[in-house]
Amino acid sequence: MAITSEDDFIDLVKKVETYAADHPGLYTIKLALFSLLGYLVIFGVLVSLLGLVGGLIAAAFLHVGVLVFLIQSKLVIAVIPAVWVLLRALWVKTLPPQGYLLTRREYPDLFTEIDALSKKLNSLKIHEVILDDSLNAAVVQHPRLGVLCWYKNYLLIGYQLMLTLSPEEMRSVLAHEFGHISRNHGRFDGWIYRLRLIWLRIMETFDHQDSFGAALMRLFFDWYSPRFEAYSFVLARRNEYEADAVSAALTSPEVATRALVNVHTTAPYLDEGYWDRFYRAADEHPEPTHAPFEGLIVFLKSRQYNRNEILDRIKKVISAETHYADTHPCVKDRVMALGASPQIPVLPQINAAEAWFGAGNENIVRELDQKWFDENNEYWKERYSYVQDAKNKLKNYPQKPRAELSDPELWEYACMTNEFVSSSAAFRLFEAYKQR
């Protein structure tokens, strides 16, 4: 069966789902064999190429005619780059997660929570805890030796997530993530979970290489990857439900449901209610009027969710259906699997950041604000300058007959009108430009 489109892939996944449901044992064996096939081909080709290079070199030393043939045919020159590409792909050098390193000495309450979850779930050791400015949490396993593994495990925690969840809800989110690396979850499941990421990285490496070896491996992975993805997709989706069940067992189905709904409704609430307004201030002020995360904390403390607004957001979230573009089931299906009664998100009296960071919370806010200024200050100034320049031009353009405007000026006038006046006014200018 050729897999040339998304529909082909979905059809295959559906067949695998049916097969896994009817023959769970055989499905596991097939998936294991499929997983090993990737290793077998890569290392088989590598050993064959190394043997070929070694044999050719040995033959060249023994027979001058072979040496002349190798020089004229450039066979070794073609084979050695192929070996190099394979070795680089196997190494799969990737950068570890970046962010604010949280230490046990500075944030003991946070690590008390992490230790308790690790012990209850019998999870793999977390080597480093990294805080970033996102509204998310994840466990990232960074392969220090590429395909040969030797993982360093990172716990990534988003500060915005901790600001909007209660300690209990945050515990539920972390329990879900720890569930993916739990030894109780099954070593086989964890191996497949990591292997999906490894093959993806290897394919990316081959895609960016232009050599005989890379072309050879692309041929194999073009056939192998979608089939392995389809077979492992079924297990990956099942693991999401199992991680949700772990989360509910360590807290409660109600807390797990509330955290799940909260995460999916809070992101647009913060984007529209705070961040959009914060960035729009660059149109009027040469510098931010307040630090971003310091202002976010004030925003959350001074406002409560509007019930009708939250209900509308929940309806939008719940209307989404599970799709095969993502191993994560839709929120509706995950909530139904948890079996809890409907939960309405509320802003906590004490959020997870306050509870687990304690006095160190102020240091984190300063660090995140400083990082934001370092990365965005120039962009802010450029935006302010652009807006002021655009507004000045918009005052002058109408005073000049449209026929006297050059093509670039008319286009600029139309774009600025669209951004700062109205789309209907800009439409007439774009029509005039089109006529030219």
Side-chain angles (χ1 to χ4, degrees), residues 124-418:
L124 300 177
K125 180 183 178 181
I126 295 294
H127 298 101
E128 287 188 8
V129 181
I130 303 292
L131 186 79
D132 62 22
D133 60 6
S134 70
L135 209 155
N136 194 22
V139 171
V140 176
Q141 295 189 289
H142 181 251
R144 288 175 280 198
L145 292 179
V147 171
L148 301 178
C149 303
W150 192 34
Y151 292 98
K152 186 172 183 178
N153 301 318
Y154 293 84
L155 173 61
L156 250 62
I157 302 177
Y159 188 64
Q160 291 192 67
L161 186 65
M162 296 195 72
L163 288 178
T164 54
L165 297 185
S166 68
E168 197 176 35
E169 292 167 345
M170 192 68 203
R171 189 176 299 120
S172 170
V173 171
L174 293 186
H176 174 99
E177 298 303 329
F178 276 50
H180 285 303
I181 58 168
S182 169
R183 294 184 178 89
N184 299 333
H185 196 61
R187 292 181 183 274
F188 178 75
D189 289 13
W191 177 55
I192 296 297
Y193 179 81
R194 292 188 291 269
L195 203 57
R196 285 168 60 87
L197 303 179
I198 289 174
W199 289 151
L200 178 63
R201 290 177 182 136
I202 288 179
M203 284 191 65
E204 288 175 350
T205 301
F206 289 139
D207 285 341
H208 289 88
Q209 296 290 333
D210 185 20
S211 68
F212 168 73
L216 186 67
M217 295 313 300
R218 274 199 298 270
L219 285 175
F220 168 70
F221 273 103
D222 284 345
W223 174 86
Y224 175 79
S225 181
R227 288 165 176 80
F228 172 73
E229 180 73 14
Y231 267 85
S232 60
F233 187 99
V234 177
L235 180 66
R237 176 161 288 175
R238 187 175 70 194
N239 286 348
E240 291 301 329
Y241 284 115
E242 290 175 358
D244 280 347
V246 167
S247 173
L250 262 66
T251 53
S252 72
E254 289 73 24
V255 170
T257 299
R258 190 166 62 246
L260 180 62
V261 174
N262 207 339
V263 169
H264 285 83
T265 56
T266 297
Y269 170 75
L270 293 185
D271 283 344
E272 296 168 18
Y274 178 75
W275 288 112
D276 286 354
R277 295 180 185 179
F278 178 79
Y279 283 110
R280 279 202 302 270
D283 292 1
E284 305 293 336
H285 303 280
E287 294 180 349
T289 56
H290 56 80
F293 288 94
E294 186 179 298
L296 177 60
I297 292 172
V298 172
F299 171 80
L300 289 171
K301 287 293 183 183
S302 62
R303 294 191 62 180
Q304 289 296 321
Y305 289 143
N306 179 289
R307 183 179 177 84
N308 291 332
E309 180 184 353
I310 289 298
L311 287 173
D312 287 341
R313 294 189 189 281
I314 291 176
K315 287 177 182 177
K316 290 179 182 179
V317 170
I318 295 297
S319 66
E321 297 290 339
T322 294
H323 194 270
Y324 289 94
D326 187 2
T327 56
H328 285 78
C330 69
V331 174
K332 177 178 65 178
D333 290 348
R334 293 174 68 180
V335 168
M336 289 177 63
L338 287 168
S341 58
Q343 302 292 310
I344 304 297
V346 294
L347 286 171
Q349 294 294 320
I350 298 178
N351 59 51
E354 294 169 323
W356 294 354
F357 292 151
N361 194 33
E362 294 182 6
N363 294 333
I364 288 174
V365 175
R366 280 196 296 269
E367 287 281 346
L368 290 176
D369 281 335
Q370 186 58 54
K371 180 175 180 291
W372 185 93
F373 278 114
D374 292 342
E375 294 176 351
N376 295 282
N377 199 37
E378 287 302 315
Y379 294 111
W380 186 286
K381 291 178 179 177
E382 289 173 8
R383 173 65 183 178
Y384 176 77
S385 297
Y386 163 75
V387 171
Q388 302 314 305
D389 180 58
K391 288 181 177 179
N392 288 331
K393 287 182 177 179
L394 283 172
K395 291 178 183 177
N396 297 325
Y397 274 138
Q399 299 173 12
K400 193 175 182 181
R402 189 181 299 173
E404 295 182 12
L405 295 176
S406 66
D407 289 349
E409 287 176 329
L410 181 56
W411 177 257
E412 183 180 59
Y413 184 20
C415 291
M416 290 179 173
T417 300
N418 185 53

